[in-house]
Amino acid sequence: MEHINLLGTFIFIIIGYLIGSISPSIIISKIKFKTDVRDYYSKNAGATNSTRVMGGKWGAIILIIDGFKPAIPILIAYGLTFINITNPNYETMFKQAYIYPTGLAAIIGHCWPLFYSFRGGKGAASSLGVLLMINPIYCVITIASWWFILYLSRMSSLSSMLMMILAFILSWISNMPLHAFLSQQDTQYYIVNIIMALIWILIIIRHWDNCKRILNHTERKVTIFADKKNKKVNEEKK
């Protein structure tokens, strides 16, 4: 069995968590609007709540930043694998470390940020950054499914949970194209499937209150499609 350097993997996880703990929604809301996005509506620092508090433009900016945020530590970890640091047993610290747990750690940091009293977002947007690094095709399909489900349900929370179920299923399809940095002979190729399952469970945990509201038919719905529909109706009346 291929040797795994646990110290190198742990260092990657720490890097991922610290970068994930940087919250653009909290920073922007405090600097630009002199408030804390977590004081309103769902009281989290995600892109959806940011849109409700700061408007669509800032919500889109935060969505993009949150989405790419886990990709940064993964790329850093991938770059470190080229650095040849060995211990007395001649085991390579970073080359023999797993890089993809770094992305999971970044999502955990986003949800429970060290720098903001462990009150962050719900991880849906950040999970897309991990998917992008695992397989861009997964990411594109998942984003498309999110928009489709959102259009049908008008519920961002339901879209987020269902898109991760789809992403988890895709990760187990053996005939899908290879992951971004891995071959099928690489042990990390199979670790990815476990990470996908853990991300899905994390998304469900973070949306647990939303699940209750969905079952009680009290979940808040988005208005972006409704606004377009109302505009179209008004134009037809004219």
Side-chain angles (χ1 to χ4, degrees):
M1 181 178 177
E2 180 184 348
H3 175 76
I4 305 168
N5 192 296
L6 297 179
L7 177 58
T9 302
F10 179 73
I11 292 174
F12 288 167
I13 289 172
I14 294 299
I15 292 173
Y17 177 74
L18 292 177
I19 292 178
S21 292
I22 301 172
S23 177
S25 61
I26 298 175
I27 294 172
I28 292 173
S29 66
K30 288 187 175 182
I31 295 177
K32 179 71 176 178
F33 297 92
K34 309 302 180 184
T35 188
D36 191 327
V37 67
R38 297 171 297 174
D39 293 336
Y40 304 92
Y41 300 107
S42 61
K43 302 187 184 299
N44 77 82
T48 300
N49 198 47
S50 297
T51 300
R52 296 182 182 126
V53 176
M54 295 180 282
K57 181 184 74 173
W58 288 106
I61 292 173
I62 290 166
L63 176 66
I64 293 172
I65 297 175
D66 281 347
F68 280 100
K69 186 164 58 174
I72 297 172
I74 290 177
L75 289 173
I76 291 174
Y78 181 64
L80 288 174
T81 60
F82 292 95
I83 298 177
N84 188 23
I85 299 177
T86 59
N87 61 19
N89 295 325
Y90 297 99
E91 296 168 345
T92 306
M93 181 186 299
F94 294 131
K95 188 175 180 60
Q96 295 175 315
Y98 282 173
I99 64 174
Y100 285 105
T102 311
L104 175 60
I107 298 176
I108 294 173
H110 173 77
C111 295
W112 295 282
L114 175 66
F115 311 126
Y116 306 104
S117 304
F118 303 101
R119 292 176 55 214
K122 295 188 177 181
S126 295
S127 65
L128 296 175
V130 179
L131 288 173
L132 181 64
M133 291 292 98
I134 289 174
N135 188 316
I137 295 177
Y138 290 173
C139 188
V140 171
I141 294 174
T142 303
I143 291 174
S145 70
W146 185 87
W147 277 107
F148 180 70
I149 298 168
L150 182 67
Y151 179 78
L152 294 178
S153 68
R154 306 293 199 271
M155 290 182 285
S156 177
S157 56
L158 181 63
S159 303
S160 299
M161 289 184 284
L162 292 182
M163 80 169 184
M164 286 311 303
I165 293 176
L166 176 61
F168 172 67
I169 294 173
L170 288 174
S171 71
W172 286 94
I173 298 178
S174 59
N175 291 327
M176 287 291 287
L178 299 183
H179 299 79
F181 304 126
L182 306 176
S183 68
Q184 288 182 334
Q185 287 71 43
D186 195 318
T187 307
Q188 296 194 63
Y189 187 93
Y190 303 100
I191 295 297
V192 164
N193 298 326
I194 299 175
I195 291 174
M196 291 298 300
L198 293 175
I199 292 175
W200 173 48
I201 293 172
L202 178 60
I203 295 298
I204 296 296
I205 292 173
R206 293 297 290 168
H207 287 82
W208 191 247
D209 289 337
N210 300 92
C211 292
K212 294 177 181 178
R213 290 195 293 270
I214 290 172
L215 294 175
N216 293 329
H217 303 286
T218 58
E219 176 68 345
R220 182 186 296 272
K221 296 187 177 182
V222 299
T223 58
I224 52 174
F225 299 112
D227 291 342
K228 292 180 180 179
K229 183 178 179 181
N230 292 336
K231 182 178 179 181
K232 182 178 180 181
V233 171
N234 292 333
E235 289 177 351
E236 290 176 351
K237 287 182 179 179
K238 293 179 181 179

